């Protein structure tokens, strides 16, 4: 598959990194690993999944905002997957043409 040039909606990367920090445990001994890379025509944000024990449940508003931005801009939907030890979001690159 040919890689396309393009962009992703503003602030999406920031929201995903903030969510990773907000919802996961991290320490000097066990730092939180957040990886950002390109995979074909997606920007992938992948982090360790070590949820913070809390009485409140996440509203998911950050992911809802990202999905809404994509629907408005290009009718594509980000891929979001929670695995046993990893949380992955794939943001489609929006073609410049």
């Amino acid at each position: 598959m040919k890689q396309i040039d393009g962009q992703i909606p503003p602030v999406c990367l920031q929201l995903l990194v903030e969510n990773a920090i907000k919802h996961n445990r991290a320490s000097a001994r066990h730092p939180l690993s957040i990886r950002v890379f390109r995979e074909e025509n997606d920007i992938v944000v992948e982090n360790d999944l070590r949820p913070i024990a809390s009485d409140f449940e996440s509203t998911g508003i950050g992911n809802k905002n990202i999905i809404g931005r994509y629907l408005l801009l290009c009718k594509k939907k980000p891929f979001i997957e929670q695995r046993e030890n990893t949380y992955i979001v794939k943001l489609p690159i929006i073609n410049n043409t």
Side-chain angles (χ1 to χ4, degrees), residues 13-77:
L13 285 178
Q14 179 179 336
L15 280 172
L16 292 171
V17 171
E18 286 177 353
N19 278 348
I21 294 167
K22 176 181 172 183
H23 294 292
N24 291 283
R25 288 178 280 116
S27 67
R29 181 173 242 175
H30 300 286
L32 179 65
S33 178
I34 302 171
R35 295 161 297 283
V36 179
F37 57 94
R38 182 174 184 153
E39 185 178 87
E40 296 180 1
N41 291 318
D42 296 316
I43 299 298
V44 181
V45 180
E46 182 177 288
N47 62 270
D48 300 336
L49 187 59
R50 297 192 308 252
I52 294 174
S54 176
D55 290 338
F56 72 91
E57 193 172 316
S58 173
T59 62
I61 195 74
N63 285 345
K64 289 176 190 171
N65 284 338
I66 291 170
I67 291 167
R69 289 176 195 187
Y70 268 91
L71 290 175
L72 284 171
L73 292 170
C74 65
K75 308 293 186 233
K76 294 181 180 179
K77 191 172 179 182

Side-chain angles (χ1 to χ4, degrees), residues 5-6 94-97:
D5 291 329
I94 300 169
N95 194 334
N96 283 333
T97 58

